[in-house]
Amino acid sequence: MMLKIVRYPNPILRKKAKAVKRVTPEIAKLIDDMIETMHAAPGVGLAAPQVAKSIRVIVADVGSGAIGLVNPRIVSKEGKQTIVEGCLCLPGVEAPVERAAKVVVKALARDGEAVVVTAEGLMATVLQHEIDHLEGHVFIDRVKDPALIKFVDAKKEPKEELL
Ligand code: NI
């Protein structure tokens, strides 16, 4: 089922999302719906607050298969990289953001099992961007120089990497 994506500055995007106590069938269904919504957008990542659910669930797919993570937390970071980001909640806005080049994330998977995900490159940026959403941060908060924020016509220049 497709979910409605909220737009910045909807206040839910500034709230700290609540931890999920148990991965219930409802949470598994939310993950499926979020993956469907992300693919349709199209985007490479989505966090539950972006679909008006203030809970700690994210999904990502950079082309190697979709994953859903519950209560994700970054346990280690390494290196630096800068990637031009966009966000499905801020259509037409893009800017370079410096983040860790490699991250290790611990979480629960869709089946409730504990997982450890090691990511680098675009996937590392996506995971950091989505986990930021759970803390009430949006990517423009991380832009070093506001002059680097670009406003593009989202309809004319659809960006592939929307998170
Ligand atoms: Ni985003």
Side-chain angles (χ1 to χ4, degrees):
M1 186 182 84
M2 285 276 291
L3 304 169
K4 189 173 159 26
I5 297 174
V6 303
R7 292 283 174 96
Y8 184 83
N10 187 309
I12 201 162
L13 295 171
R14 289 303 188 188
K15 273 181 71 178
K16 187 174 158 79
K18 289 213 167 72
V20 172
K21 289 203 180 92
R22 211 161 53 84
V23 184
T24 57
E26 289 72 27
I27 295 291
K29 169 80 162 74
L30 173 66
I31 288 172
D32 295 343
D33 290 345
M34 285 173 61
I35 289 171
E36 186 183 338
T37 304
M38 166 182 71
H39 283 154
V44 293
L46 192 66
Q50 295 184 273
V51 291
K53 307 249 186 252
S54 194
I55 57 171
R56 303 185 83 82
V57 176
I58 64 170
V59 298
D61 186 352
V62 297
S64 46
I67 59 164
L69 299 174
V70 175
N71 299 339
R73 58 191 177 91
I74 295 168
V75 294
S76 85
K77 287 185 181 191
E78 212 180 291
K80 279 185 169 58
Q81 66 182 3
T82 300
I83 289 181
V84 174
E85 297 185 19
C87 181
L88 294 171
C89 297
L90 291 94
V93 179
E94 54 182 60
V97 181
E98 185 185 285
R99 298 186 188 270
K102 185 177 174 184
V103 292
V104 178
V105 174
K106 285 190 177 175
L108 298 177
R110 188 186 175 284
D111 60 6
E113 293 294 314
V115 285
V116 180
V117 178
T118 301
E120 29 187 24
L122 178 60
M123 189 60 165
T125 281
V126 172
L127 292 176
Q128 291 168 87
H129 176 121
E130 303 314 332
I131 291 169
D132 261 1
H133 274 302
L134 304 182
E135 294 300 316
H137 301 309
V138 292
F139 80 102
I140 48 172
D141 305 342
R142 304 262 184 228
V143 178
K144 283 184 173 161
D145 176 359
L148 298 173
I149 299 175
K150 266 180 64 182
F151 298 90
V152 297
D153 186 334
K155 287 196 189 86
K156 278 189 199 145
E157 300 177 54
K159 179 144 175 62
E160 277 171 32
E161 291 164 10
L162 287 171
L163 323 155

